[in-house]
Amino acid sequence: MSDVSRLAGVSKMTVSRVLTDPALVAEATRNRVMTAIEQLGYVPDRTARSLSSRRTNFITAILPTLTNANFADTVQGLAGALRTADYQLLIGYTMYSLSEEERIVRAMLARRPDAIVIASAVHTKATSEMLLRAGIPIVEIWDVPEHPVDHAVGFSNYEVGRLAARHLISLGHRRIGAIGSAITSDATDFRGESRLQGFSAALREAGISDGSILRQSAAPSSYDHGAEALSTLLRQAPDIEAVFAVSDISAVGALMECQRRKIAVPGDLSIIGFGDFDIARQCVPALSTIRVDAEMIGSKTGELLLTLLESDDGAALPAQSRLDVGFELVTRETTSAPKI
Amino acid sequence: MSDVSRLAGVSKMTVSRVLTDPALVAEATRNRVMTAIEQLGYVPDRTARSLSSRRTNFITAILPTLTNANFADTVQGLAGALRTADYQLLIGYTMYSLSEEERIVRAMLARRPDAIVIASAVHTKATSEMLLRAGIPIVEIWDVPEHPVDHAVGFSNYEVGRLAARHLISLGHRRIGAIGSAITSDATDFRGESRLQGFSAALREAGISDGSILRQSAAPSSYDHGAEALSTLLRQAPDIEAVFAVSDISAVGALMECQRRKIAVPGDLSIIGFGDFDIARQCVPALSTIRVDAEMIGSKTGELLLTLLESDDGAALPAQSRLDVGFELVTRETTSAPKI
DNA sequence: CTGAAAGCGCTTACAG
DNA sequence: CTGAAAGCGCTTACAG
């Protein structure tokens, strides 16, 4: 920057003004500075800016994995909303591990982000403390906990599970199962577990057994997981009529396993998933599922963040907020009434 | 940090040493400092460290999209290799747009990364210049260009296309088509185009027409894209026997379209994809494809970067390098000899 | 093994 | 509309 100021014959302050708020500088001066910048190919150093302005324009996003179309969509939505405002995303993956999440939060805090977005409402004690003490906006996404650390943008996973169950029940099914992941010390898909809990509750409300809810192997779910879990379920409950999978990926895996076993879907077995991934619309038969607008979770979070960070006075801002983006049952071809 | 040094009764320099190279500090002193750090919940400021040490420990990764399992795997591999060395990834998406790539490279350069990983070998002139002038290691991935800007880790997309063609030809097919994306000013999947070029060349070498190579709509490919492209192809060349799709996602979309149209695969039509995504193994019939180890591209790139960045003396390092990770034909159920 | 001084490249907060 | 001074929180490069 001093090279630029020397070449343009102005002070560094003037160069700085041209970069941050050009309107403050006289046109002639501004043009001289711009020319110098281009001649030298000068790229301002945001590290230095961050240090002196006490704002990094970093926003941390912590997610279980990116190998999941829905989280990738959320990141895309978030990045889109923040793009124009010159924020840079700092992405971390926890791989569904709480200890890894703690490690990442600590490392991220050292980068002094202006805000943190985190796809989880369950943390270790140390993580929660760090988050609370960070003194920056925290947005928990993909769920709407009763008492968020700060802000929350998501939907009720529990109610998703209930809706799935009610759909299968309303079709006339009574022997109903579900496929999810196990919660272990280091693989913790709490949102999927919430869906399972809601599912289980709705079955019990209807006087139906929730004995066929399978929690097999660790998150994240995969096509293989769905195929294997379906096999296990059929072994345990051969007369099952309908299955809910906590993810479309598992659901499609289960569907493919049915095709290999010549089990007619939905004739012999109804299947409903969650997420409305692209594959759900394209697979044959097309998958019934519960849709959630993953990209919108990202873009709404981005908008919230801009409001919180760009407001001139800190006043008049909600200390906390909860935004429920909802979800929607999408009935396609894999669910129908049981054969009589 | 000065709070910590005050509480521990040492200079800031000593605190700094405890943080960066504890062995340099006497044990008693070190323990006092550590206690102070914990008491205050002190988290060092990497922004300040970056500025004074002239190293940010940021590594920029620029990819077309994250909504693609293969790129997500590469990021995972890269993040994994860098994790222990305390590097933070700065991820940008170009959405296959050259102008967006330029914008992102400029923005990233202001963050002063220690290296740049970029999944593209084709750039605007301005982008190439910025990359060259950056004075840091640049790794182009997902291809192995003849003359990389700096380093390259990938494989020959052109040869992938040739292998796909030779596989279909060796099965006895003569009426062969392909599905890819169009290159427009702002949607530029050059790697997919290379595969198509190699495919086309191999057909011509065998004296087979390459008239049924379809370049439809813009990247990234999707299940929908594959389904629609197959429909177009069948309209243009109803007697086609075999199809190569530049991505497994398109290939599976095409396969599903065949199921809807009751076209037997591979009886009536052979299909081969590229990428060996999870879905390729699970769909019914299972997809023949060409596998590339996406995660390994990431981890090898990470290792290369560590070698380049962590070496004590800058000497004895290759100025440039090209690593070809290769690829592999995976014959499953969607390709067979034509019906007679 | 420990510390005092200077500086990384910007912006803040004045002053004119 | 423009600039001189001080400082952001660390590390570098000495010195002892």
Side-chain angles (χ1 to χ4, degrees), chain B residues 231-301:
Chain B
S231 303
T232 309
L233 203 58
L234 288 174
R235 210 159 39 237
Q236 292 179 4
D239 61 347
I240 207 143
E241 301 165 329
V243 171
F244 165 54
V246 292
S247 157
D248 277 0
I249 303 300
S250 300
V252 171
L255 174 61
M256 297 300 159
E257 182 63 23
C258 287
Q259 295 195 2
R260 282 186 289 267
R261 290 169 178 252
K262 312 290 182 207
I263 296 172
V265 175
D268 300 329
L269 185 72
S270 283
I271 299 180
I272 181 167
F274 164 74
D276 196 23
F277 289 59
D278 282 353
I279 187 72
R281 198 170 54 245
Q282 278 292 337
C283 62
V284 182
L287 185 71
S288 293
T289 188
I290 291 171
R291 170 192 302 163
V292 67
D293 191 335
E295 189 167 352
M296 185 169 121
I297 292 179
S299 58
K300 289 288 181 194
T301 300

Side-chain angles (χ1 to χ4, degrees), chain B residues 2 21 48 64 85 89-90 105 131 155 163 179 181 185-187 193 207 214 246 263 272 276 278 305 339:
Chain B
S2 41
D21 197 351
L89 240 34
L90 250 30
V105 168
L131 253 22
F155 58 91
L163 177 57
I179 291 174
S181 299
S185 62
D186 247 30
E193 179 59 25
L214 186 69
V246 292
I263 296 172
I272 181 167
D276 196 23
D278 282 353
L305 252 22
K339 272 196 304 205

Side-chain angles (χ1 to χ4, degrees), chain A residues 48-64:
Chain A
R49 159 119 93 120
S50 296
L51 183 59
S52 73
S53 70
R54 331 254 32 224
R55 283 181 119 245
T56 56
N57 272 36
F58 280 131
I59 291 182
T60 290
I62 300 177
L63 301 160

Side-chain angles (χ1 to χ4, degrees), chain B residues 107-263:
Chain B
M108 289 292 189
L109 249 20
R111 299 294 188 174
R112 299 293 190 266
D114 295 340
I116 295 181
V117 175
I118 185 163
S120 172
V122 181
H123 319 285
T124 67
K125 212 174 132 231
T127 303
S128 298
E129 265 170 33
M130 284 190 285
L131 253 22
L132 279 166
R133 287 161 115 193
I136 52 176
I138 310 287
V139 187
E140 292 166 292
I141 60 173
W142 276 86
D143 211 336
V144 282
E146 279 296 308
H147 303 289
V149 174
D150 194 9
H151 301 271
V153 177
F155 58 91
S156 168
N157 284 281
Y158 187 86
E159 292 300 330
V160 165
R162 292 197 48 189
L163 177 57
R166 289 207 313 273
H167 173 58
L168 297 178
I169 294 166
S170 74
L171 289 171
H173 295 289
R174 305 288 297 175
R175 295 190 298 277
I176 300 176
I179 291 174
S181 299
I183 299 277
T184 68
S185 62
D186 247 30
T188 51
D189 180 6
F190 291 109
R191 281 179 305 281
E193 179 59 25
S194 285
R195 276 170 245 144
L196 247 29
Q197 303 262 350
F199 189 79
S200 168
L203 291 187
R204 281 180 274 113
E205 282 164 24
I208 293 176
S209 160
D210 64 350
S212 290
I213 294 182
L214 186 69
R215 291 170 173 86
Q216 178 166 300
S217 57
S221 51
S222 60
Y223 296 112
D224 290 349
H225 171 257
E228 285 160 20
L230 185 80
S231 303
T232 309
L233 203 58
L234 288 174
R235 210 159 39 237
Q236 292 179 4
D239 61 347
I240 207 143
E241 301 165 329
V243 171
F244 165 54
V246 292
S247 157
D248 277 0
I249 303 300
S250 300
V252 171
L255 174 61
M256 297 300 159
E257 182 63 23
C258 287
Q259 295 195 2
R260 282 186 289 267
R261 290 169 178 252
K262 312 290 182 207
I263 296 172

Side-chain angles (χ1 to χ4, degrees), chain B residues 30-41:
Chain B
R30 195 194 316 148
N31 289 148
R32 253 187 307 141
V33 172
M34 305 268 257
T35 311
I37 287 175
E38 282 192 24
Q39 251 179 58
L40 297 170

